[in-house]
């Protein structure tokens, strides 16, 4: 198996995956004859009762088409153009289609519930089974995850300042924005099996 877009061959990292792959004898397709794409994008989230994210979900697009109307935005044209520009820049990051100036680029520290936001993204960064792969030349981190959902969450945490970069037998390590100093600091969390 080979993923052409990323120029990566498949690597089995767990024994149960080998067993599952050995049991595949039929591939189902939808009625159009194309394989269903199991993917997820981080577009919006709700933290402490506040909705974040200005992206448009597939559900919203479908509802808009059914009503034969355009989506109504609460912001002016220049802000809409800025949001489209931000989305286009982030489109290159698979699984991440999120933009919200209130919490991006470390601005979450200025939000009323900054402590809850910090905990939310820290949990996204460490509560998963993804395996980080650090490119030795660039230092960029990519993730091997069991599901697209899991990958989208850990990528969103990374893009919002909570970068998971190392998994050891008893701990997980991240780089996070320290809200007091504004510096990027290393944090380790002891994992419980």
């Amino acid at each position: 198996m080979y993923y052409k877009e990323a120029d990566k061959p498949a690597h089995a990292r767990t024994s149960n995956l080998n067993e599952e792959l050995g049991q595949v004898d039929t591939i189902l397709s939808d009625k159009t004859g194309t394989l269903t794409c199991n993917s997820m994008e981080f577009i919006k989230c709700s933290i402490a009762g506040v909705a974040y994210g200005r992206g448009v979900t597939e559900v919203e697009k479908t509802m808009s088409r059914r009503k034969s109307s355009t989506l109504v935005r609460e912001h002016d044209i220049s802000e809409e153009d800025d949001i489209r520009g931000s989305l286009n820049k982030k489109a290159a990051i698979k699984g991440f289609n999120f933009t919200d100036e209130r919490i991006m680029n470390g601005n979450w520290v200025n939000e009323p519930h900054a402590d809850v936001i910090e905990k939310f993204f820290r949990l996204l960064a460490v509560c998963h089974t993804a395996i980080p792969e650090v490119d030795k030349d660039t230092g960029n981190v990519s993730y091997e995850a069991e599901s697209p959902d899991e990958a989208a969450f850990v990528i969103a945490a990374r893009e919002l300042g909570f970068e998971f970069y190392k998994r050891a037998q008893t701990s997980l390590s991240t780089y996070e924005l320290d809200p007091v100093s504004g510096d990027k600091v290393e944090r380790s969390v002891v994992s419980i099996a």
Side-chain angles (χ1 to χ4, degrees):
M1 292 173 55
Y2 179 74
Y3 183 46
K4 190 175 182 178
E5 290 178 23
D7 189 31
K8 284 186 166 186
H11 295 285
R13 298 190 192 276
T14 61
S15 60
N16 66 344
L17 180 60
N18 287 332
E19 292 171 14
E20 290 172 14
L21 286 174
Q23 296 174 15
V24 174
D25 70 0
T26 305
I27 297 176
L28 301 174
S29 68
D30 61 18
K31 61 185 172 193
T32 62
T34 58
L35 291 175
T36 302
C37 180
N38 185 12
S39 65
M40 179 178 171
E41 288 186 329
F42 189 87
I43 298 173
K44 296 182 179 191
C45 62
S46 176
I47 307 169
V50 178
Y52 294 100
R54 300 187 192 280
V56 179
T57 66
E58 290 300 319
V59 172
E60 290 170 327
K61 288 177 189 175
T62 301
M63 287 174 49
S64 176
R65 275 187 243 125
R66 283 187 181 166
K67 291 180 181 178
S68 299
S69 65
T70 59
L71 291 176
V72 177
R73 299 249 185 212
E74 295 178 7
H75 45 75
D76 61 27
I77 298 300
S78 62
E79 184 177 348
E80 186 172 313
D81 291 340
D82 288 346
I83 289 168
R84 276 197 203 116
S86 296
L87 286 173
N88 290 338
K89 287 178 207 164
K90 291 291 182 185
I93 302 169
K94 185 175 180 176
F96 187 75
N97 187 13
F98 180 89
T99 187
D100 194 320
E101 306 76 25
R102 296 174 294 172
I103 61 174
M104 294 183 79
N105 302 315
N107 292 336
W108 61 267
V109 299
N110 301 318
E111 285 293 294
H113 299 286
D115 58 326
V116 179
I117 295 170
E118 179 181 35
K119 289 174 187 170
F120 178 87
F121 287 113
R122 184 176 294 141
L123 288 172
L124 286 184
V126 299
C127 292
H128 53 76
T129 60
I131 299 169
E133 294 181 352
V134 181
D135 185 309
K136 292 177 182 153
D137 297 331
T138 64
N140 293 338
V141 180
S142 60
Y143 304 102
E144 294 292 329
E146 288 187 15
S147 72
D149 299 4
E150 198 171 58
F153 290 145
V154 74
I155 288 168
R158 179 192 67 200
E159 294 301 310
L160 294 165
F162 295 80
E163 182 179 44
F164 165 61
Y165 73 93
K166 183 170 71 175
R167 178 184 295 277
Q169 192 168 356
T170 59
S171 67
L172 301 168
S173 299
T174 61
Y175 290 119
E176 299 179 8
L177 174 72
D178 180 16
V180 177
S181 69
D183 295 331
K184 195 175 185 181
V185 295
E186 182 178 356
R187 300 220 193 275
S188 289
V189 177
V190 175
S191 62
I192 301 171

